DNA sequence: GATGAATGAGGCTTCATTCAT
DNA sequence: TATGAATGAAGCCTCATTCAT
């Protein structure tokens, strides 16, 4: 990510927030850098003092939101010992974030994937950290004899994320009226994975 | 999709196959229409006799491959009555296709998502038909008392697809040496969903 | 130089001639590619069917004009046996070309040198061929005992060209009214070099 | 030239020397003002306290080096009465400077010409003063009956400078290993011009 | 005098698509 | 059907310069 200014200045987050809005509205490719600059109230060139290029803005949004997400997730799970309940909370948490930060979610869900670099070159370590929480939780459950030992945490992790992500995508893409309940979807998915991995159902 | 020539001429599939190769190699956005034309051994303009535009080539690949996929899936499942076994075969089938048609899978998994139109405007009815097989299978299981009634087939369907798709994506994106076994991943995912949806474990 | 279209099409020379005019008028850096296109009566993009980029236009002008120059010089000198007279004709020829193709000369004299690539990377083989005629003529004179043996043809060649070129530059840069006579300058320079290299004065 | 600070402060020459290095390394156009500032150890804005703009730095280098050159040349020639020997010393002096101040020479020889302003607008009076020494020397020779009266000092001056300059350029542009001897080139050029202008050879 | 964050104009080039042949 | 030369819109980014501190 953009290493240029080490500290998060006020202006930098001004640009980030403007970019989330503009990218959500017009899409990353259709959004012009000058649109973001205008929305942020800075000159076009100023953006390049904080970001390497247009794509770097997108990737920075990802990094920053994932940092926040990761911290908030930790807070949410910290007093929950039961692996099953942790899974349920993880799913609910994920969908709450999607619902409460729709613009950011839309950018992350949809626009980020339109980025060649993200899909092909970028190593999303922050995402791995986020998902690592799930993988660890599976391992804990296995050690406690709650989850079956033959479950591969790697496969479980990506499956679980794929499921959450796909549902989030469908929700984001759906028109307001068609939107299904994210809350109950969270419990459904969590329920399937909890039972699906349990030693004795 | 491109309605222009109703029948599949020889030249059309020449272009389609050329496009799969080129898109897989260079990516959809980086591939030039003239690259596809050159690979197919036709003039640039000829492509526009068979496809509306560049994106139409991509979408046509999707349609055609999905048609094939759907037919082959039907064949694969037709003599399997058990919903559980059908799920397992679905997962195995999906990953077999990915493995055996790597170029096409790469285009569908990765490049298709780089297409704005696909994500935002296109209604992937063929995909729905494909997933509908899964949703139906869940309903059948519920009617037979095998799967829990409170499972929402819609949520289950997208979760299952998301899980398969994310694993396929990770496999496609991974370097050859790091590739995990798709076969065992199929059984893992199927196992989780089967148990996860079962009435009694 | 631009290898793209092997033959000199009509459109290509249309662009070349337009570029000579525009570059002479506005200078290479100030001239926009679209200015050249407009003058040539083609679309901007068409230029890139014949030239790699803006600088390639400039370099192509150099190549083409040098080809012509070289051929015409050969014609001019072909029946002159005396090395001394050949030097005089070379100088006159050079200045005639400058005078008769002022726009082209201005581009070649002035604009070409504003090109980084020309000065630093490009090997001006056509120029070497042109100057090689002079070096050869010095060697001939030496063999005939007309020119002193200790003259280094390489040094003589670059000195002679430097002298012609600097005078041409001063002439091109000078305002119309201040312009000195190129004809007499030719004879002066030729006279100095002829006597300067002669065995006995 | 920059008239802003009349005296040469320490900081000003700090910037000048930094600029010579940076321009020689990266070329005038590729060098950024901030590169020069960094090398000089000052802030970007500070440069504009001493120079009007980027080009002014280049032109100032020219002016300052030419001042030095002119003074040193005067010193070198002051006790040499013979016009012929003065020419020889002039040529040697010129090439010694090129050899001993390679970075500065490279900037002056190559980069200065990439400057539009220099070629088209700037009146290089310092250069004229430098060359004026040669023109005067020719006139002296003519008055003493050593050089032919029909020689035009103006033409001789530019020819001589063109010869020296072109050779210097070839030397600067040549790779280290290919470099010819500037010393013998000096004597060759001087020899040609001395004999070339002499009354009786 | 010195700083350095902010400014914002400006243009080359690509490449999907067209259409006369 | 097929060709392929021609079109032309569209936008990212650099970096010299300014000016408030």
């Amino acid at each position: 990510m953009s290493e240029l200014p080490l500290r998060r200045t006020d202006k930098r987050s001004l640009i980030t927030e403007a970019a989330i809005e503009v990218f959500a509205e017009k899409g990353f490719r259709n959004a012009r850098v000058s649109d973001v600059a205008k929305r942020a109230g800075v000159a076009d060139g100023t953006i390049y003092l904080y970001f390497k290029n247009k794509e770097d803005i997108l990737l920075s949004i990802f990094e920053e939101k994932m940092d926040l997400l990761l911290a908030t997730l930790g807070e949410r799970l910290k007093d929950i010992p039961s692996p099953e309940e942790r899974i349920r909370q993880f799913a609910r948490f994920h969908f709450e974030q999607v619902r409460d930060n729709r613009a950011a979610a839309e950018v992350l869900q949809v626009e980020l994937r339109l980025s060649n670099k993200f899909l092909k070159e970028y190593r999303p370590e922050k995402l791995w950290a986020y998902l690592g929480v799930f993988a660890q939780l599976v391992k804990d459950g296995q050690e406690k004899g709650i989850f079956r030992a033959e479950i591969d945490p790697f496969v479980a992790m990506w499956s679980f994320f794929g499921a959450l992500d796909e549902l989030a995508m469908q929700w984001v893409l759906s028109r307001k009226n068609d939107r299904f309940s994210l809350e109950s979807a969270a419990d459904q998915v969590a329920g399937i994975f909890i039972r699906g991995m349990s030693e004795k159902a």
Side-chain angles (χ1 to χ4, degrees), chain A:
Chain A
M1 211 55 16
S2 170
E3 310 288 349
L4 318 178
L6 293 179
R7 70 211 176 291
R8 297 298 184 250
T9 69
D10 194 49
K11 202 148 277 186
R12 184 190 164 93
S13 52
L14 216 56
I15 296 169
T16 304
E17 294 308 316
I20 290 176
E21 293 175 26
V22 173
F23 291 168
E25 281 169 25
K26 317 183 70 165
F28 177 72
R29 300 211 79 95
N30 293 323
R32 276 164 297 164
V33 171
S34 63
D35 292 335
V36 176
K38 203 167 295 162
R39 180 81 57 112
V42 300
D44 291 19
T46 303
I47 292 193
Y48 292 87
L49 297 176
Y50 296 93
F51 302 93
K52 264 207 317 292
N53 52 39
K54 190 185 173 187
E55 188 142 58
D56 187 37
I57 306 175
L58 186 59
L59 264 31
S60 293
I61 292 173
F62 171 74
E63 296 268 307
E64 288 167 24
K65 291 298 171 190
M66 287 307 293
D67 276 343
L68 190 60
L69 205 61
L70 199 50
T72 321
L73 176 67
E75 195 59 31
R76 174 73 158 264
L77 299 186
K78 79 168 185 293
D79 293 327
I80 303 174
S82 147
E84 292 106 320
E85 185 56 19
R86 286 167 77 85
I87 288 182
R88 197 177 333 272
Q89 292 302 325
F90 195 121
R92 285 185 186 169
F93 173 80
H94 189 86
F95 286 155
E96 281 165 22
Q97 298 301 319
V98 169
R99 190 196 55 207
D100 296 345
N101 304 282
R102 196 144 65 209
E106 193 161 343
V107 171
L108 264 32
Q109 289 286 337
V110 182
E111 299 307 327
L112 198 58
R113 310 176 184 223
L114 295 177
S115 158
N116 250 310
K117 183 168 261 153
F118 184 76
L119 271 174
K120 297 235 169 135
E121 299 170 32
Y122 181 63
R123 310 277 86 192
E125 302 185 2
K126 294 281 163 60
L127 176 61
W128 296 341
Y130 185 65
L131 298 184
V133 171
F134 185 85
Q136 188 54 48
L137 174 168
V138 172
K139 284 176 202 154
D140 289 348
Q142 289 175 318
E143 282 167 16
K144 290 181 182 167
I146 296 173
F147 295 145
R148 284 179 289 130
E150 69 263 30
I151 294 287
D152 179 338
F154 174 87
V155 172
M157 168 182 96
W158 283 114
S159 301
F160 186 68
F161 174 66
L164 294 185
D165 194 50
E166 187 65 51
L167 281 164
M169 175 76 89
Q170 295 306 322
W171 187 84
V172 162
L173 291 179
S174 62
R175 297 290 133 231
K176 225 171 219 140
N177 303 331
D178 302 343
R179 279 188 182 144
F180 52 91
S181 157
L182 280 175
E183 288 76 11
S184 77
D187 288 343
Q188 291 258 338
V189 176
I192 290 174
F193 274 82
I194 292 167
R195 285 171 172 254
M197 298 194 299
S198 287
E199 184 59 56
K200 53 169 185 47

